[in-house]
Amino acid sequence: LYLCVDVHNKEKMLPNLAKLFCIRGCSTSAALSSGVKDKADTVVLGGGIVGVCTAYHLARKGKDVLLLEKSELTAGSTWHAAGLITAYHPTPNVKRVHWDSLNFYNQITAETGQEIGFHRPGSLRLGTSPIRMDEFRYALSRQCHKQSPMKLLTPEEVEELVPILNMDGIHGGLLTPDEGHIDPYSLTQAVARGARMHGAHIVQQAEVTGLQPRSDGGWDVVTPKGTVAANRVINCGGFWGREVGKLAGLDLPLVPVQHQYLVTKSVPEIQALKKEIPVLRHLDGSFYLRQERDGLLIGPYEGVDSMVQMEEWARDKVTPGFGKELYPGDLERLSPHLEMAMEAFPCFANAEIQSVVNGPITYTPDILPMVGPTMLPNMWVAVGFGYGIVHGGGVGKYLSDWICDGEAPYELVEFDPLRYSNWTTMDYAVTKTRESYGFNNAVGYPNEERFAGRPTNRPRPIYDKLVEAGAHMGFNAGWEVPLWYGAPGEKTEYKPSFTKANWQLEQEREYNILTQKVGVADLSPFGKFMLTGPDARKFLDRTVAGFVPKVGRTGLGHMLTSTGKVYAELTITGMDDGKYLIVTGGGSEFHDLRRLHQIAREEKFDVELENITEEFGTLTVAGPMSGALMERISDQDLNNWKFMDAKHGKVGGVDCLGIRITYTGELGWELYPAMEDMDAVYQAIVDNGADLGLGHVGTRVINTLRIEKGFRGWGHEMNKDTSPIEPGLMPFVKIQKKANFIGKAAVQDMLKIPRTSEVVFLAVDSPDVDPEGDESVVVYGKAVGYTTSGCYSPVLKSALAMASLPKTFTTPGTEVEVMLAGKGRKAVVLEGAPALTQAARERLPAVKEEKIKVKTAV
């Protein structure tokens, strides 16, 4: 394998290899073309594994694709990658990417005739502590309803698979079968061959020197070999991706990091093995280990203090000419990890090191790649791959499906490039990538929190006061948001757990504030857009499936895709002068704004969309006493302030929009003061609420009340994987309205077919672990569905989950099991949401009185 040969010798081999990999009329001159074509539907920039996979899938779907590579295929990070590939990932949607990559790589040799060195001994995560076994059980609880299999192993089963392992301290393992490692160089060449077979053009030695937007929405791609007019561009530039982004005016938060692994010479104990051992991940030692022929390959993830970032590349540019070079190995940096490896694998202690590979790999602040369209029309990115081999095949398919079908094939918001924006400075990116890389193998707890780079430069006018009030701050798209509050006089701490955490034990106090008194919460991360223009109402009628509210009223609107999936949930308020305020969840700000801009641009609506997220804050007051509080701080007549009414006036002596709505389902208001007036409104609330029992509450208890009241949440019960029918959103979808809203025809077609699944409520018998969502729901040991949200319900005095289940299991009283902490917990289907909203409770006396009148009349 090339991993064991001298880099310079490998470079000498490349011209001959280039000839070897050309078939069906593809000559060396075609691969190393002296010019580029004038036009292409899609230009892919970068010939690493992600770029060639993207070109392959687009070409296979019939697209006219041109791939431009700065130097040679695999240059950058691909050629020196260790080639690990696994179906495992802790994030729900990313598992689909891994699964698609595995399936794609499994068939590429049969299609192209090119061997790729795909070894499938499985992957095994070693349980070297009780907490690691808890982590594995947590992962298993969220896996049964997914495509890829997974099994928890006993120490004896681990020893049988890995006879070279020192079993001291081994508590078990987590096995994902039929996967392992692959030769990245051969794989890339095989996929490139397949792309050419399907009609893609690949031009090497074609550095892109300019990206110029065209009046038709496309791009001129400038190279020394000529300029290409492209309908769209996909930046797959690897560690050059940041520089390529700058050519288009994008500031991508990408930071290359040096990653090292070493390869040993032949090891007698490896030679004696009867079969290849699984790819091993020693998480507490923070290293992976696999066989390399009859030797070992070991790759540590260095700690925060010892790792080396290529900060000068991130802040300036990549060293000119760097492409297939390596940095000198530094075993001293690896010594803590190698010492643990020698203890765990005694045969390694006596092995002779053949080579050390130290090359740059690019990371984003949260270690996940950036994949999808940007805010620039027809400018796409697929960059920031710390694990490009396992992501490449799946990402290429994901992008091609999105481009060819007009919408994403499934929800993958974790990869959305627009989760970052102007707040993601390079200082933040450098600090955060250091933390993320250094914590690569840290225990993955539920509701994990990390603290590097915080707070960011997003507004936080009342941050200090909220912390003084006991707030435990969380992170949401650059914002600091109170998750929960400690009891008076107590300091909050982050204490993660696989059972009930400290914040869950504290939540009853905040719950009582909202249901018995009045609470205040800062919800400023909400995305806020102002829509104006002659076509504003017409645009909304086309964009959302619900009715467009009148002036002074607020409504809930859902943006659907053309196939009837739920792209977003918006709160829309009719303002004076034909304006509309559009509000969305904090993490969805640019995700939703991009789609709104796209519809307006492509369908030529005469509207303007202004992002006012950072200009206006959001405070909510909720609870039975919130009306009394609003009477004290607002100049409005509350007797004439109906549910969903929006009114401008004075709150706390400053101008403020107020909407009678709350995500808790209790009496309450959302207040939208200018950011510079947040402190005045907040202080008025605090000063006037003490005798009413005012207390501070965080977003986590608000989520509990949301679930109890049965409110569906985007990213939980609904997303681009669900229609509005399954989660019960049809009351908000106005099929009868005259406007032909996007997705209308698709929903009408769905309504003709009996639905096969439904979101229901489950009372779960689990005193030690609360559900959170994405846990498997099983019947007789077989997965039949999954939870979408979960919490402890004070109303039920038990755990509560919302779950997507086949209609067969949705009848109230049906018994199922919810997988929590690796065990099936008994659960029963409820008739509906266990708690009534304040509005529903108000209607109860009237309903009862009406029933009495009817009986009397009879």
Side-chain angles (χ1 to χ4, degrees), residues 162-430:
V162 194
I164 63 171
L165 175 63
N166 178 0
M167 293 301 297
D168 291 346
I170 299 297
H171 297 260
L174 188 63
L175 177 70
T176 45
D178 298 321
E179 54 181 53
H181 60 95
I182 205 163
D183 174 12
Y185 184 83
S186 299
L187 172 66
T188 304
Q189 296 293 353
V191 176
R193 175 186 282 191
R196 293 186 185 106
M197 290 168 59
H198 291 293
H201 295 267
I202 297 176
V203 181
Q204 302 178 66
Q205 304 297 336
E207 178 180 3
V208 174
T209 58
L211 291 170
Q212 301 167 354
R214 298 166 57 89
S215 59
D216 61 2
W219 292 84
D220 281 335
V221 183
V222 182
T223 80
K225 297 186 175 185
T227 297
V228 186
N231 291 334
R232 75 184 55 78
V233 172
I234 307 177
N235 176 1
C236 302
F239 57 62
W240 291 290
R242 179 167 167 79
E243 292 180 46
V244 172
K246 285 180 179 179
L247 295 176
L250 295 173
D251 187 14
L252 304 176
L254 304 173
V255 181
V257 173
Q258 289 185 16
H259 177 67
Q260 301 187 78
Y261 63 83
L262 58 88
V263 180
T264 73
K265 293 184 177 180
S266 180
V267 177
E269 290 84 349
I270 302 299
Q271 288 180 323
L273 292 173
K274 295 180 180 180
K275 63 178 181 178
E276 184 175 359
I277 62 172
V279 175
L280 302 170
R281 288 171 175 82
H282 194 297
L283 304 172
D284 289 329
S286 194
F287 66 86
Y288 55 82
L289 179 148
R290 69 169 176 83
Q291 275 186 237
E292 177 64 14
R293 294 192 175 178
D294 55 5
L296 293 171
L297 183 152
I298 299 177
Y301 286 97
E302 300 167 51
V304 173
D305 297 327
S306 63
M307 64 173 288
V308 174
Q309 296 168 292
M310 309 304 296
E311 188 173 342
E312 67 276 14
W313 287 14
R315 295 189 183 276
D316 186 15
K317 62 181 179 180
V318 177
T319 302
F322 195 101
K324 286 197 170 181
E325 290 73 31
L326 295 173
Y327 285 93
D330 187 346
L331 293 181
E332 185 175 346
R333 282 168 28 203
L334 304 183
S335 58
H337 310 282
L338 297 182
E339 288 172 6
M340 294 188 72
M342 291 177 189
E343 182 178 346
F345 302 92
C347 63
F348 172 59
N350 300 317
E352 184 179 351
I353 295 175
Q354 175 169 290
S355 60
V356 178
V357 174
N358 182 9
I361 297 177
T362 306
Y363 286 88
T364 65
D366 65 6
I367 223 166
L368 294 176
M370 301 170 67
V371 177
T374 67
M375 290 298 289
L376 299 177
N378 299 309
M379 178 57 64
W380 296 59
V381 296
V383 293
F385 290 88
Y387 317 97
I389 305 303
V390 73
H391 287 149
V395 162
K397 184 178 187 301
Y398 176 81
L399 287 173
S400 69
D401 288 349
W402 192 342
I403 289 168
C404 296
D405 299 339
E407 64 182 76
Y410 55 86
E411 187 57 70
L412 193 58
V413 70
E414 297 93 335
F415 281 11
D416 196 322
L418 298 186
R419 67 188 187 274
Y420 302 119
S421 64
N422 293 339
W423 57 268
T424 319
T425 64
M426 184 46 60
D427 285 344
Y428 173 85
V430 169

Side-chain angles (χ1 to χ4, degrees), residues 714-848:
W714 192 88
H716 297 276
E717 286 69 47
M718 59 178 129
N719 56 26
K720 292 191 284 289
D721 290 328
T722 62
S723 75
I725 300 173
E726 175 191 332
L729 298 176
M730 288 309 294
F732 303 101
V733 176
K734 306 304 179 183
I735 291 290
Q736 70 272 29
K737 80 173 185 178
K738 293 181 180 178
N740 183 28
F741 61 83
I742 296 172
K744 183 175 184 177
V747 173
Q748 287 175 320
D749 288 341
M750 292 177 196
L751 290 172
K752 299 174 184 177
I753 304 171
R755 55 181 169 172
T756 58
S757 61
E758 181 181 347
V759 171
V760 299
F761 298 85
L762 302 175
V764 186
D765 184 7
S766 177
D768 59 329
V769 185
D770 292 340
E772 57 177 311
D774 197 43
E775 294 97 359
S776 299
V777 179
V778 301
V779 175
Y780 295 122
K782 180 178 174 58
V784 297
Y786 57 93
T787 63
T788 56
S789 296
C791 65
Y792 173 79
S793 166
V795 168
L796 294 178
K797 304 297 183 186
S798 75
L800 168 67
M802 298 172 76
S804 175
L805 296 179
K807 288 290 291 181
T808 305
F809 303 106
T810 59
T811 304
T814 300
E815 295 182 354
V816 296
E817 289 186 336
V818 175
M819 296 298 296
L820 294 171
K823 299 178 182 178
R825 313 296 178 109
K826 292 182 179 180
V828 62
V829 177
L830 302 176
E831 291 187 1
L836 295 175
T837 64
Q838 180 263 346
R841 295 196 301 268
E842 282 188 347
R843 289 194 298 267
L844 279 179
V847 172
K848 290 180 179 178

Side-chain angles (χ1 to χ4, degrees), residues 537 540 544 546-556 571-575 579-581 644:
R537 185 179 184 87
L540 286 175
V544 300
F547 289 133
V548 179
K550 298 178 180 178
V551 175
R553 292 288 291 169
T554 296
L556 202 61
T571 302
I572 302 170
T573 300
M575 313 284 279
K579 299 179 179 179
Y580 293 90
L581 173 65
M644 303 294 275

Side-chain angles (χ1 to χ4, degrees), residues 331-591:
L331 293 181
E332 185 175 346
R333 282 168 28 203
L334 304 183
S335 58
H337 310 282
L338 297 182
E339 288 172 6
M340 294 188 72
M342 291 177 189
E343 182 178 346
F345 302 92
C347 63
F348 172 59
N350 300 317
E352 184 179 351
I353 295 175
Q354 175 169 290
S355 60
V356 178
V357 174
N358 182 9
I361 297 177
T362 306
Y363 286 88
T364 65
D366 65 6
I367 223 166
L368 294 176
M370 301 170 67
V371 177
T374 67
M375 290 298 289
L376 299 177
N378 299 309
M379 178 57 64
W380 296 59
V381 296
V383 293
F385 290 88
Y387 317 97
I389 305 303
V390 73
H391 287 149
V395 162
K397 184 178 187 301
Y398 176 81
L399 287 173
S400 69
D401 288 349
W402 192 342
I403 289 168
C404 296
D405 299 339
E407 64 182 76
Y410 55 86
E411 187 57 70
L412 193 58
V413 70
E414 297 93 335
F415 281 11
D416 196 322
L418 298 186
R419 67 188 187 274
Y420 302 119
S421 64
N422 293 339
W423 57 268
T424 319
T425 64
M426 184 46 60
D427 285 344
Y428 173 85
V430 169
T431 301
K432 202 68 179 178
T433 52
R434 176 168 289 274
E435 177 192 55
S436 295
Y437 184 89
F439 283 22
N440 201 292
N441 287 314
V443 176
Y445 287 100
N447 301 293
E448 185 178 29
E449 299 176 32
R450 295 190 178 171
F451 303 95
R454 296 172 50 187
T456 71
N457 61 14
R458 299 206 86 161
R460 50 183 194 280
I462 60 174
Y463 175 87
D464 291 336
K465 291 185 176 180
L466 296 179
V467 171
E468 186 179 349
H472 181 88
M473 291 292 187
F475 186 81
N476 184 354
W479 297 87
E480 295 292 321
V481 57
L483 298 177
W484 59 284
Y485 285 80
E490 293 185 8
K491 184 179 180 180
T492 63
E493 292 182 79
Y494 172 53
K495 294 182 178 180
S497 174
F498 289 106
T499 56
K500 284 185 183 290
N502 56 341
W503 65 268
Q504 291 167 307
L505 301 175
E506 293 278 351
Q507 198 175 92
E508 186 175 359
R509 183 184 66 260
E510 293 180 56
Y511 184 92
N512 290 337
I513 288 171
L514 286 169
T515 56
Q516 300 173 19
K517 301 173 185 176
V518 56
V520 58
D522 181 5
L523 301 179
S524 294
F526 281 173
K528 300 172 274 290
F529 321 127
M530 189 62 70
L531 174 68
T532 59
D535 291 343
R537 185 179 184 87
K538 184 180 176 183
F539 169 75
L540 286 175
D541 251 334
R542 170 66 173 157
T543 302
V544 300
F547 289 133
V548 179
K550 298 178 180 178
V551 175
R553 292 288 291 169
T554 296
L556 202 61
H558 296 88
M559 280 199 293
L560 305 182
T561 68
S562 59
T563 58
K565 302 300 177 61
V566 184
Y567 185 94
E569 182 176 71
L570 308 173
T571 302
I572 302 170
T573 300
M575 313 284 279
D576 293 331
D577 302 322
K579 299 179 179 179
Y580 293 90
L581 173 65
I582 302 173
V583 178
T584 187
S588 303
E589 177 186 351
F590 290 97
H591 170 274

